[in-house]
Each structure stands twice: as structure tokens, then as C-alpha cells.
Amino acid sequence: MMSRAECLKEYGSDYLIDKKIEKGELYKITKGIYSKKEHVPDLAIFSYKYPSAVITMKSAFYFYNLTDVIPDVCDLATSRDAAKIHDKRVKQYFVSDDLFKVGIETAMYKGYDIHIYSRERMLIELVRYKSKLSFDYYKEVLLNYRKILPQLNIQEIQDIALCAPKSNKIMETLQLEVF
């Protein structure tokens, strides 16, 4: 993907960009974002459009195959002082600065780099937002976490839990329901 500025640098003018679009050599994905591929997945678009945001919650659970429920919107976490994202296709989570940077990784999704929280971080998010998720959804994701528990870094899960608010309650829930 490329921004308008990157396209101008590569092609020289808006006229030449429009010619590339007419020829089918370049595609306008959304305002200010172009691609040489016709179809770009939403997660990749949002990760590119909002580089300081991180994919979280239902979008991340679906990405990690912890649920088969396709999210209606893209869940993005931003720092608490970030600007509000005005896009109906995005649900924004404002996260305190000390917790925001914990567990971010870059993953490959259909040929595109995306910024997403690790599976370990998402387990903590699952427990933190337990009361805001439907019971069936919570149980489905939790059961899938139990299946992949040997693949997870338990020490990292505990470290992330200690960074989160109400860490004692999170650790207690992890002991009772996950480990």
C-alpha cells in the first residue's frame, strides 16, 4: 500500500496516478491510500491508515482463530491521548500509556504487515473485558485458549497481567478459568 504522497513521489503527478488507475495498474483503496493489488483486507487497511493503533479484541481473536465469529467492525487500541477515530468501521479502545505498548507485535496477514497484540496479551484482554462480552463468546474464546495453552508463554502472560489495572483479580481469574 502507498499513501498519496508516496504515489506522487513514484509517479510524479495526480494526472499520472489517475492514468495508472485507469490502466488497472494501481487501485484507490480508500481516500489517500492506494495499492497495486485490487483487493486489500480491512485489517491491513486499518493497520496502514492508523499506524499508531493496534488491532485488539474481537478482531484479534478472529485473526488468531480463537473464534469463528467474524467481527462487524475492526477493534483498534490507541493510547489514551490519541485522537478519536471517526470511522464507523472501527471500534476504538483507549488504553493507558503504560499498558498500551505491552504485547504489540507485527504479524503477516494476507501479505501485509499488521500491528496486533500477541496471543498472550489478548488472553489478558479477554479476562479484563469478560463482563462486556457475551457469555457464549467468552466461553468459546476461553476454551480455544485452553487448547493452545502449551504454545503460550506463561511468564509473559503473568508479566502482562501485573501491568494491567486490577492485576490481582486478573491473576485470580486466570488461575480459576485458564491454568
Side-chain angles (χ1 to χ4, degrees), residues 25-175:
E25 296 173 10
L26 187 68
Y27 300 93
K28 185 173 183 173
I29 303 303
T30 186
K31 184 180 179 190
I33 299 177
Y34 300 85
S35 174
K36 293 182 180 180
K37 295 180 182 175
E38 186 174 4
H39 300 288
V40 179
D42 285 345
L43 283 183
I45 293 169
F46 293 126
S47 196
Y48 183 82
K49 188 172 184 177
Y50 307 108
S52 60
V54 181
I55 296 165
T56 190
M57 295 308 292
K58 292 180 179 180
S59 299
F61 295 136
Y62 184 74
F63 173 81
Y64 288 124
N65 292 317
L66 295 167
T67 181
D68 57 0
V69 177
I70 300 169
D72 296 332
V73 294
C74 183
D75 295 319
L76 294 177
T78 60
S79 67
R80 219 173 230 138
D81 60 343
K84 174 128 178 65
I85 296 173
H86 297 283
D87 190 329
K88 293 175 191 161
R89 303 169 298 164
V90 173
K91 181 174 182 184
Q92 186 174 10
Y93 291 80
F94 291 98
V95 182
S96 63
D97 289 340
D98 52 332
L99 186 59
F100 174 69
K101 294 182 190 300
V102 178
I104 297 174
E105 57 186 35
T106 301
M108 186 62 70
Y109 181 66
K110 298 183 180 180
Y112 297 93
D113 285 338
I114 59 170
H115 303 290
I116 190 167
Y117 282 126
S118 66
R119 293 183 300 177
E120 289 82 1
R121 167 65 188 264
M122 289 313 304
L123 177 58
I124 302 304
E125 295 302 301
L126 178 69
V127 172
R128 284 182 65 212
Y129 287 95
K130 176 181 179 178
S131 63
K132 293 185 173 54
L133 300 170
S134 73
F135 180 75
D136 291 338
Y137 185 86
Y138 175 78
K139 279 299 182 191
E140 176 191 5
V141 175
L142 186 68
L143 290 172
N144 286 322
Y145 260 112
R146 288 181 185 159
K147 290 177 189 174
I148 64 166
L149 200 56
Q151 301 168 20
L152 299 177
N153 183 336
I154 304 303
Q155 184 61 49
E156 186 179 342
I157 293 170
Q158 292 172 340
D159 292 345
I160 295 169
L162 292 173
C163 292
K166 300 180 184 175
S167 59
N168 291 340
K169 182 146 178 71
I170 291 171
M171 291 299 284
E172 182 182 315
T173 304
L174 287 171
Q175 289 296 331

Side-chain angles (χ1 to χ4, degrees), residues 1-18 21 26-35 48-49:
M1 282 186 283
M2 301 184 305
S3 67
R4 181 178 174 278
E6 291 168 326
C7 284
L8 284 171
K9 192 174 186 179
E10 184 170 334
Y11 301 117
S13 70
D14 285 325
Y15 174 78
L16 293 173
I17 292 170
D18 290 341
I21 291 170
L26 187 68
Y27 300 93
K28 185 173 183 173
I29 303 303
T30 186
K31 184 180 179 190
I33 299 177
Y34 300 85
S35 174
Y48 183 82
K49 188 172 184 177

